[in-house]
Amino acid sequence: MTLQQKYTERIEKALAKYPDKRSAVMPVLHIAQEEYGWVSPEAIIEVAEICDMDPTQVKSIAGFYTMYSKHPKGKYWLQVCTDLPCALRGADQFYQELLDYLGVEDHGTTTDGLFTAEHVMCLAACDKAPMLQCNFHYQESLNMEKMKSLIEEWRAEAQKK
Amino acid sequence: MNILLREKDIPNIHEYDVYAKNGGFAGYKKALGMKPADVINTVKASGLRGRGGAGFSAGMKWSFIPQTEPVKYVAVNADESEPGTFKDRQIMENNPYQLIEGALICAYAIQAKAVYIYLRGEFWDLGAELDKCIEKAYQEGWLGKNIHKTGWDCDMYTHLGAGAYICGEESALLNSLEGKLGQPRVRPPFPAQKGGGLYGEPTVVNNVETLASVPFILDKGPEEYLKIGTKDSPGTKIFCLCGNIEKPGNYELPLGTTFRELIFDHGGGIPNGKKIKAILPSGASGPIVPATDAVLDTPLTYEDMGKIGTVLGSASIIILDESVDIVWAASKMTKFFHHESCGKCTPCREGTYWLDRVIDRLMAGKGQPNDVDLINNIAKNMVGVTLCALGDFAANPILSTIKHFPEEFKAYAQAQAGIEEKKTASPAARTAKGNEPGTPQGRAGRHSPATSTPAGD
């Protein structure tokens, strides 16, 4: 099933917001990413057709913004903010401990394909550091203890599905 | 006094009924009974200054819109991405209708066809909540066709970005909304002018906090607003307090509050009995100031920050305690700007790359004797020569840290050829945080050159 078929309503709604189709490229890319887990070359072509753009133009948009992943990620995409305000509250150490716990390198994915861990730039939650976003949902005021139980929750959730 | 963070006084003000019962939409209702030009004059008279960073008169900005043009837009800047800033998010989460009301007052004043709220992509959940609030505003007749029988139509939409600091710059924001690369535009024409705004139409771009301040001004009158704050900086401001501070968070206080009151009375001071060393009053983009007594007693206003060599910006105040290695802090900020440079202007694209490389070299103990002069020189060559302010922003962490803390840079520059031990033993080393400068862990923010510039992908 194509994006257009599966998400007809959401895509129509996105297109209706703007006077031209091109402006919907970001919301439609978000839908593509949600569906495929990353912005694949096939997804780029689908988005280009929906937004009446050239695939090259869509690819340049996808490449410009960090939230569109150019590679497949783990089922749970963990993005830890390590910018200055978070780092002053121990985010670098937290991130390193998370990597060690998952047994991955910076920007690495666990062998079971469940978790990808990355550090990212400011997420506007500096007062609640260390923090991360998991698949774009915020988890704040973290420590490794909390983090371990979250990881367990996600592991259990993944097994159920 | 909470004009913006009203959830601190009124529980559940994020709900429509609670907001409406507590004076919600009164300002907008009043505006709808006025001539649009009078609404602009009211906001102008209040002295409200843009809260996104530039501090430009909001009413003045609105007055630049040519009324003869049939299509006009309002773009709400909710791309909050400056390190240290987390105020717009709190407004939108806890008092969303006030932003909607303020944006609608602006839209009516300039007779806009539509309002676009540009949210940073990470505010995914928040965007969904805002959509529900907008839907409710339509149902209540505050949006749509012939609003309150004024003959004026207006729509409101949210738009999610996808992770690019540069989209908080107004012309880049407009490009991004149009489905183009989020890179700044050549100005003039300015967004308020024909040819410069969204889809080439005159557009007001205002920050969330600016617009959320407007309902009070319309409802209570500009004279009430002028009673708060100082003559040149009226009103309240949300100060985002973070870094080495006991109680990080958002504090809404009258402009003119001093650093000392903010940090020690409200923020609870510095944790672990440490001393305060320096302050970044405007996130990573504004110059750092050493926390001297004179600085601590400076009122937080647009005019006074200039006197101490910095800016108020969006008032994202990052506190650094005595254990912080300033070179490490500068490196962190440089990595941020290196990653976020959009790649359009050469001085910023290349400058941030080289600043990052040379600071890494310094911190790794492989610096060369003239490296401090070199980075100072690179930074100087980035100021005032780019299409947007990001070039200047990226230079600030370097220029201001070298200016105020030259000895810390020198210590690194000299720490080469067998002086490694001296460096780790120096008080500047961040052993307290478990991060030693130059170790991979301390520089987790590093990106490889090949993936660092978004435009380079």
Side-chain angles (χ1 to χ4, degrees), chain A residues 17-18 23 82 89 119 122, chain B residues 116 120 158-159 199 243 332:
Chain A
K17 284 185 179 184
Y18 315 95
S23 293
T82 55
R89 304 187 77 81
H119 69 269
C122 189
Chain B
Y116 287 94
R120 61 176 299 169
T158 55
H159 177 96
Y199 307 111
K332 274 277 181 192

Side-chain angles (χ1 to χ4, degrees), chain B residues 162-419:
Chain B
Y165 171 76
I166 189 66
C167 291
E169 193 283 327
E170 61 179 10
S171 68
L173 181 149
L174 297 174
N175 271 343
S176 181
L177 254 171
E178 291 178 14
K180 298 171 184 160
L181 289 186
Q183 292 182 316
R185 297 174 177 174
V186 179
R187 281 150 288 183
F190 291 95
Q193 297 172 306
K194 179 78 181 170
L198 185 60
Y199 307 111
E201 305 295 351
T203 304
V204 164
V205 187
N206 270 154
N207 173 257
V208 168
E209 188 185 354
T210 312
L211 291 170
S213 300
V214 170
F216 177 94
I217 293 163
L218 263 289
D219 185 26
K220 313 276 189 218
E223 45 301 322
E224 284 303 307
Y225 198 70
L226 283 164
K227 283 182 190 165
I228 314 161
T230 67
K231 187 174 151 282
D232 291 326
S233 302
T236 60
K237 174 86 191 74
I238 300 177
F239 299 101
C240 310
L241 199 52
C242 68
N244 299 129
I245 186 83
E246 194 64 52
K247 292 188 280 182
N250 285 314
Y251 297 90
E252 182 179 356
L253 299 164
L255 281 155
T257 303
T258 63
F259 276 119
R260 199 184 292 279
E261 286 171 74
L262 175 70
I263 296 164
F264 294 96
D265 297 349
H266 298 279
I270 316 302
N272 309 319
K274 289 202 177 125
K275 288 198 185 95
I276 182 167
K277 179 174 183 176
I279 304 169
L280 284 155
S282 179
S285 66
I288 197 168
V289 283
T292 59
D293 278 336
V295 163
L296 288 171
D297 289 323
T298 304
L300 286 149
T301 65
Y302 294 98
E303 61 276 16
D304 288 294
M305 287 301 107
K307 292 177 196 160
I308 57 166
T310 188
V311 291
L312 186 63
S314 55
S316 34
I317 299 169
I318 307 172
I319 306 297
L320 310 182
D321 75 24
E322 58 187 337
S323 72
V324 176
D325 173 352
I326 293 293
V327 181
W328 169 83
S331 152
K332 274 277 181 192
M333 293 187 275
T334 298
K335 282 179 196 312
F336 174 79
F337 287 115
H338 176 205
H339 182 266
E340 298 298 346
S341 175
C342 80
K344 186 163 183 168
C345 308
T346 313
C348 176
R349 181 185 65 238
E350 299 301 317
T352 52
Y353 170 81
W354 284 107
L355 285 177
D356 191 21
R357 297 265 311 222
V358 179
I359 296 180
D360 271 358
R361 178 166 82 187
L362 265 180
M363 292 187 66
K366 292 174 186 158
Q368 294 173 13
N370 64 346
D371 271 356
V372 183
D373 292 337
L374 178 62
I375 53 174
N376 208 27
N377 199 20
I378 297 170
K380 275 184 189 160
N381 279 297
M382 292 161 66
V383 176
V385 290
T386 49
L387 286 179
C388 79
L390 200 138
D392 294 39
F393 290 173
N396 276 334
I398 301 299
L399 295 175
S400 63
T401 49
I402 293 180
K403 182 181 163 197
H404 293 296
F405 302 94
E407 68 288 354
E408 296 200 24
F409 281 89
K410 269 181 213 145
Y412 274 110
Q414 288 156 2
Q416 40 166 330
I419 321 182

Side-chain angles (χ1 to χ4, degrees), chain B residues 14-16 19 25 95-101 133 136:
Chain B
H14 64 280
E15 291 171 13
Y16 180 83
Y19 182 69
F25 291 98
N95 195 6
Y97 287 105
Q98 193 160 318
L99 167 66
I100 291 173
E101 182 180 357
C133 297
K136 180 70 181 167

Side-chain angles (χ1 to χ4, degrees), chain B residues 48-203:
Chain B
L48 172 65
R49 299 175 67 160
R51 302 295 194 231
F56 189 75
S57 158
M60 196 78 90
K61 204 174 197 181
W62 300 6
S63 72
F64 292 154
I65 299 290
Q67 282 306 322
T68 45
E69 290 298 328
V71 179
K72 287 150 288 193
Y73 291 108
V74 174
V76 182
N77 189 341
D79 189 57
E80 182 158 71
S81 308
E82 178 69 39
T85 317
F86 42 88
K87 65 188 175 65
D88 297 337
R89 181 180 160 213
Q90 184 164 342
I91 294 174
M92 292 186 287
E93 275 177 359
N94 298 293
N95 195 6
Y97 287 105
Q98 193 160 318
L99 167 66
I100 291 173
E101 182 180 357
L104 282 170
I105 293 169
C106 175
Y108 175 75
I110 66 156
Q111 293 286 291
K113 182 178 183 277
V115 178
Y116 287 94
I117 304 177
Y118 189 104
L119 294 144
R120 61 176 299 169
E122 292 85 352
F123 290 169
W124 187 267
D125 295 330
L126 183 52
E129 289 304 312
L130 267 183
D131 280 340
K132 287 183 206 158
C133 297
I134 292 169
E135 192 57 47
K136 180 70 181 167
Y138 271 103
Q139 286 166 14
E140 297 291 331
W142 299 120
L143 266 165
K145 301 266 176 235
N146 191 18
I147 299 165
H148 275 238
K149 302 197 177 100
T150 54
W152 167 63
D153 306 336
C154 188
D155 290 304
M156 188 180 280
Y157 309 102
T158 55
H159 177 96
L160 283 169
Y165 171 76
I166 189 66
C167 291
E169 193 283 327
E170 61 179 10
S171 68
L173 181 149
L174 297 174
N175 271 343
S176 181
L177 254 171
E178 291 178 14
K180 298 171 184 160
L181 289 186
Q183 292 182 316
R185 297 174 177 174
V186 179
R187 281 150 288 183
F190 291 95
Q193 297 172 306
K194 179 78 181 170
L198 185 60
Y199 307 111
E201 305 295 351
T203 304

Side-chain angles (χ1 to χ4, degrees), chain A residues 10 13 16-20 22-27 30-31 34 53 60-61 63-68 70 82-85 87-90 92-93 95-96 106-107 119-128 131 133 135-138 140, chain B residues 80-81 83-86 89 116 120-125 157-164 167 176-182 199 242-245 248-249 280 318-320 324 328 332 336 339-340 433 435 441-442 444-447 454 457:
Chain A
R10 277 178 68 186
K13 216 173 155 187
K17 284 185 179 184
Y18 315 95
D20 67 5
R22 181 181 180 135
S23 293
V25 65
M26 293 180 72
H30 279 304
I31 293 172
E34 199 179 311
M53 288 168 76
S60 80
I61 298 289
F64 187 83
Y65 298 97
T66 51
M67 282 174 71
Y68 303 127
K70 275 64 81 181
T82 55
D83 251 331
L84 178 63
L88 288 169
R89 304 187 77 81
D92 279 332
Q93 198 179 337
Y95 181 57
Q96 190 57 52
D106 181 24
H107 284 71
H119 69 269
V120 289
M121 296 297 151
C122 189
L123 293 173
C126 325
D127 54 336
K128 302 189 182 74
M131 61 82 60
Q133 58 175 359
N135 299 344
F136 308 133
H137 301 291
Y138 281 27
E140 299 172 310
Chain B
E80 182 158 71
S81 308
T85 317
F86 42 88
R89 181 180 160 213
Y116 287 94
R120 61 176 299 169
E122 292 85 352
F123 290 169
W124 187 267
D125 295 330
Y157 309 102
T158 55
H159 177 96
L160 283 169
C167 291
S176 181
L177 254 171
E178 291 178 14
K180 298 171 184 160
L181 289 186
Y199 307 111
C242 68
N244 299 129
I245 186 83
L280 284 155
I318 307 172
I319 306 297
L320 310 182
V324 176
W328 169 83
K332 274 277 181 192
F336 174 79
H339 182 266
E340 298 298 346
K433 294 277 185 299
N435 281 340
Q441 181 196 340
R446 182 165 61 172
H447 284 244
D457 280 358

